[in-house]
Amino acid sequence: EQTVVHQVKASVRLSLDQAKTRGAAAVLGFTEKFDRLKAGSVAGLEIGQDRLQKALEAIPEDQRVALEQAAQRVRSYHERQNQQSWQYEEEDGTVLGQKVTPLDRAGLYVPGGKAAYPSSVLMNAIPAKVAGVGEVIMVVPTPDGVVNDMVLAAAKIAGVDTVFAIGGAQAVAALAYGTETVPSVDKIVGPGGAFVTIAKSLISDQTGIDMLAGPTELGIVADNSANPKFVALDLVSQAEHSSNTFCYLITTSAKLAKSVSNIISELIPKIQRNNLVKSSLKNNGFIAICQTKTDMIKLANTLAPEHLQIMTKNPESFSSKITTPGLILIGNYTPSSASDYVLGSNHILPTNGFGKIRGSLSVLDFIKVNTQVISSKSSLSKISKYLQVLTKAEGLPNHYEAVRGRLK
């Protein structure tokens, strides 16, 4: 497995180096090679607003309404995340504050080949637009020139400014380094496969990224009050993402554990995508039976899953002790599958334990906070004695002289 990772990383690094040195020619070459899509220039890979509008008009009405409803709920949630500029004055007259400004340009990577996720367009683009990002550029792979109409319709609904039919590591390179047509961006966000994730990692020394997300994770904490069918359905729903998902149940009830296991065994032969579900749950899934509620809390916080569902008596009280998951879903009727689409929360979430240090993609990913300070001769005079002590302690006397020179 490590050999494969090294091979993928080497391949991605080569793609990035080629794109950095050869620009558009490399991007076009890789697009033709991997997506079998030939264009005379990168400009020829742009998908115009007229095409987005046609896609919106072409999809069935129920799909359009569903996208619009999801977009409205996602927008409503993220509008509440907006930050404000502020300032205050100390007693000595020093004025301090923060200035909040949006990023100038953001790049969104959206899967669009065999796996097409219009919901990810909404989750990426809407917080960027709510934050006030000046220009939102989306890249989407289009194997053989075919792109999913719902993906394009979602881009139109979300207000994406420009779309390019580019995927893979070369798309990340185009956004990071820029070409004659694709401008370089301040930050690249959005999920992708191994090549995209590694490419984001390798360019992160010069271009901002949101996070390095791995396969889907779902943890469910449940006691004997939980409905075992709900638990089983939820584990299956997330396990169908891929054979690498990490889905599990943490419980204090051996009876619940047995019931959930039996229901999953009964479901698998009857469901679609059952090969993926079976492989994922067999290779990566587990049921942990804990002695106490405290043990369940400790294990959930240690694992820090992408999604954590709490299906216990008094789930709100239980959730107050859980701090590390990317998203916490409380109660029997808050399935992670609903949060992936229309509850309003963002489904781009930290995995691999990174929920311990950050949450979902949000408006905060698309703003920058600058500190502003205004001092006067009078306020400097009042704090100069403290400054003299601290600069002397750190062996930096000229820091103090820069202040003392102003007070003579």
Side-chain angles (χ1 to χ4, degrees), residues 120-277:
S120 289
V121 179
L122 304 180
M123 300 294 177
N124 276 297
I126 288 175
K129 298 301 286 189
V130 168
V133 172
E135 187 177 7
V136 176
I137 300 172
M138 182 176 115
V139 291
V140 55
T142 57
D144 300 309
V146 178
V147 64
N148 184 284
D149 271 349
M150 278 195 76
V151 167
L152 297 184
K156 186 66 177 177
I157 289 170
V160 173
D161 297 295
T162 311
V163 180
F164 289 97
I166 313 172
Q170 63 269 24
V172 175
L175 293 172
Y177 306 134
T179 72
E180 295 90 334
T181 306
V182 181
S184 60
V185 301
D186 300 310
K187 192 168 194 175
I188 301 172
V189 304
F195 285 85
V196 170
T197 301
I198 290 174
K200 286 171 66 178
S201 173
L202 292 175
I203 59 88
S204 63
D205 61 339
Q206 74 160 62
T207 304
I209 64 170
D210 51 349
M211 63 189 88
L212 300 174
T216 292
E217 301 167 352
L218 169 63
I220 298 178
V221 172
D223 59 19
N224 58 10
S225 70
N227 185 319
K229 184 177 180 181
F230 293 174
V231 175
L233 288 170
D234 291 341
L235 290 170
V236 166
S237 75
Q238 293 299 331
E240 76 171 332
H241 274 289
S242 75
S243 59
N244 296 321
T245 58
F246 185 36
C247 301
Y248 51 86
L249 167 64
I250 301 171
T251 183
T252 50
S253 171
K255 182 180 178 181
L256 177 71
K258 184 176 181 180
S259 295
V260 170
S261 181
N262 290 339
I263 292 169
I264 289 175
S265 296
E266 292 170 4
L267 282 174
I268 285 179
K270 305 173 186 177
I271 60 174
Q272 300 179 59
R273 299 169 68 84
N274 57 5
N275 286 337
L276 285 175
V277 173

